[in-house]
Amino acid sequence: MVTTLAVEKHHWGSRRFLGIPAYRRLLATRLASQWGDGLFQAGLAGAVLFNPERQADPAAIAAGFAVLLLPYSLIGPFTGALLDRWDRKKVILVANVTRAAFVLLTALAVGAGLSGLPLYVSALIVMGIGRFVGSGLSASLPHVVDEDHLVEANALATTAGAVMAVIGAASAIGFRTLLGAGDGGSAWTTSIAVVGLLLSAFIASRFKAGVLGPDEVDEPHNAMTAVARGLLDGAKATWRTPSVTAGLAALLAHRAAFGMSLMITLLLMRYSLEDVGILKAGIGGLGEVAVAGGAGVLLAGILTDRIVDRFGVKRTICGALLLTAAAQVGLGLPMTLPSILLASFVIIFAGQIVKLCVDTAVQHDVGDEVRGRVFALYDTLFNIAQVTAVSITAMVVPLDGRSPGLLLVAASLYLVGLGAYLILSARKRQVQHPGLVREDDSRHSIG
């Protein structure tokens, strides 16, 4: 029976997954939410970075990234603790409705010409509350799909969500063209994200109470105690599961390197590059980068399960990290518009492969009662790495973005991640608390 499952678990295809009502509804919830996220983030980026009524230097760009990413770090611990004690359906629903209200407040701040703290506070809240949705959807997936099909189900959901975020970002660029690039047009563009968030809330409301977990609640009554213990339990569960620890180290290195490259790309698009035929610089160029990245995410979603079948997870992650390092040097260093777009495709493709492997390891190898806390810790570290990389890069990068040395540093970070992955994946699993991790299953484990 085990052999049969191992053979049949792969390559169901999207049609079969979409035939599962609960999976289809969870996917629709994700798609609507991530379309709104993509539109909101692109609308806000356009308002701050490519607004003719405002100026953007590396420090301003770094501040913008902090707004978009720090909530993952500040709110992450709370999401983990609360997702493992509250009905996840209600969390997703309420979080979407709440952040829709703050999207409107952010749009009003943009329209009024506000900058700095008044603008960033509402945006921070939107992105922070969004962590309840993202982590909740990831932690809920094992409740709607059999464990033997998690790799492919996760690839489909994550890939479709990422592509929908790119579509949301592209929609923002389109709305910005129609409504104007100044404060008023940017405000209207940003406010349209409300549609996706409210639709996501409506779809999530169709789930029955409790169907998304948690199955068991292992939380203290005091919320702050729950947060503190949640961080500790999440860290313990991560450390005791080499598949998660090693994959997370690889992913953190990738995210730091990606943060450096992204800062350089933004500056090149704003101040250095010029149009090349049909390829555009400026905010249009960022749209092209998003499309190239979305294509990479889509290809990773299609191929990851097959690549893992062929080479195994360990070789897959190692190969992906080597590919990103090579692309960073070979395609990044020329710093031309075509090479940047190709580098974006390759680097995001390889990074998404690593992320899908790590997501699946968390979903399968970590027990449900602590899974939300591990995803929260994962999100927290993931985004601290990128914000730190962006901030350090902002302090040393020239205004025009032309810094070959920084690109070489980014390439070396991928190799550091590869070394950390190999070392950590060689550890033996430590099962010291039955509630923190699940029994080994080599069919799903990383390394």
Side-chain angles (χ1 to χ4, degrees):
M1 177 62 72
V2 172
T3 302
T4 301
L5 287 174
V7 172
E8 294 181 351
K9 76 182 181 70
H10 297 293
H11 316 316
W12 267 19
S14 59
R15 181 175 299 179
R16 191 165 180 182
F17 282 113
L18 293 176
I20 303 172
Y23 179 85
R24 187 169 63 244
R25 187 174 296 138
L26 197 69
L27 179 62
T29 303
R30 179 186 291 273
L31 294 182
S33 175
Q34 292 202 235
W35 180 85
D37 283 340
L39 195 151
F40 176 77
Q41 293 180 34
L44 189 61
V48 174
L49 306 180
F50 292 90
N51 187 337
E53 299 176 23
R54 302 171 188 248
Q55 293 296 319
D57 56 20
I61 294 174
F65 272 110
V67 168
L68 296 177
L69 298 175
L70 276 181
Y72 293 75
S73 307
L74 301 175
I75 307 297
F78 290 89
T79 66
L82 298 177
L83 283 169
D84 290 332
R85 74 190 301 177
W86 290 348
D87 181 353
R88 289 172 188 152
K89 170 223 170 168
K90 292 182 179 178
V91 171
I92 294 169
L93 193 161
V94 173
N96 271 320
V97 172
T98 303
R99 64 191 184 130
F102 280 95
V103 163
L104 294 178
L105 289 177
T106 305
L108 288 173
V110 170
L114 300 180
S115 60
L117 192 61
L119 174 61
Y120 291 157
V121 166
S122 58
L124 277 165
I125 293 173
V126 172
M127 301 307 300
I129 297 176
R131 294 321 309 137
F132 285 93
V133 179
S135 294
L137 290 169
S138 294
S140 300
L141 186 60
H143 289 264
V144 300
V145 175
D146 291 340
E147 292 176 1
D148 295 305
H149 303 282
L150 271 177
V151 174
E152 195 175 1
N154 187 62
L156 174 60
T158 305
T159 301
V163 170
M164 188 57 70
V166 171
I167 293 174
S171 300
I173 294 174
F175 286 128
R176 190 172 184 270
T177 302
L178 293 174
L179 300 172
D183 288 337
S186 296
W188 282 110
T189 296
T190 304
S191 68
I192 297 173
V194 166
V195 175
L197 304 185
L198 292 180
L199 179 59
S200 178
F202 172 75
I203 298 170
S205 72
R206 309 303 295 169
F207 282 105
K208 293 182 180 179
V211 73
L212 300 180
D215 293 331
E216 300 177 10
V217 176
D218 180 25
E219 291 282 351
H221 294 294
N222 183 276
M224 293 306 296
T225 302
V227 170
R229 203 183 85 175
L231 283 173
L232 181 61
D233 285 349
K236 286 180 178 178
T238 299
W239 179 250
R240 292 172 179 171
T241 314
S243 62
V244 177
T245 310
L248 184 59
L251 199 57
L252 290 178
H254 181 281
R255 205 61 186 177
F258 181 77
M260 296 180 68
S261 300
L262 190 55
M263 168 62 86
I264 292 170
T265 300
L266 282 168
L267 292 173
L268 288 171
M269 288 292 183
R270 176 75 191 261
Y271 296 110
S272 185
L273 298 177
E274 297 181 355
D275 296 350
V276 178
I278 62 172
L279 302 178
K280 304 298 181 182
I283 193 168
L286 290 184
E288 292 164 355
V289 168
V291 170
V297 168
L298 180 61
L299 185 62
I302 295 171
L303 296 182
T304 297
D305 200 41
R306 291 166 173 79
I307 294 173
V308 169
D309 281 347
R310 177 68 177 83
F311 298 104
V313 179
K314 188 171 185 177
R315 289 181 180 177
T316 296
I317 291 181
C318 291
L321 291 172
L322 289 173
L323 179 61
T324 51
Q328 187 76 69
V329 175
L331 299 173
L333 283 178
M335 285 183 276
T336 65
L337 191 53
S339 67
I340 285 174
L341 294 177
L342 187 54
S344 300
F345 169 77
V346 175
I347 290 172
I348 293 176
F349 163 72
Q352 185 69 6
I353 288 177
V354 177
K355 186 177 187 302
L356 289 173
C357 290
V358 180
D359 283 353
T360 302
V362 175
Q363 289 165 342
H364 180 269
D365 296 343
V366 175
D368 181 65
E369 69 281 357
V370 77
R371 188 181 296 130
R373 282 166 278 183
V374 173
F375 267 116
L377 181 67
Y378 171 172
D379 279 346
T380 299
L381 296 176
F382 188 77
N383 290 283
I384 285 177
Q386 184 164 337
V387 171
T388 301
V390 166
S391 300
I392 292 174
T393 304
M395 292 188 290
V396 297
V397 68
L399 184 62
D400 64 1
R402 295 193 175 277
S403 179
L406 286 175
L407 289 178
L408 291 175
V409 171
S412 68
L413 285 175
Y414 293 119
L415 301 180
V416 170
L418 173 60
Y421 174 75
L422 291 173
I423 293 171
L424 292 171
S425 63
R427 294 171 52 243
K428 291 184 178 180
R429 189 178 191 131
Q430 304 170 38
V431 184
Q432 298 178 6
H433 189 302
L436 292 180
V437 294
R438 307 178 69 159
E439 293 301 319
D440 272 320
D441 185 338
S442 60
R443 290 174 294 150
H444 299 277
S445 296
I446 292 177

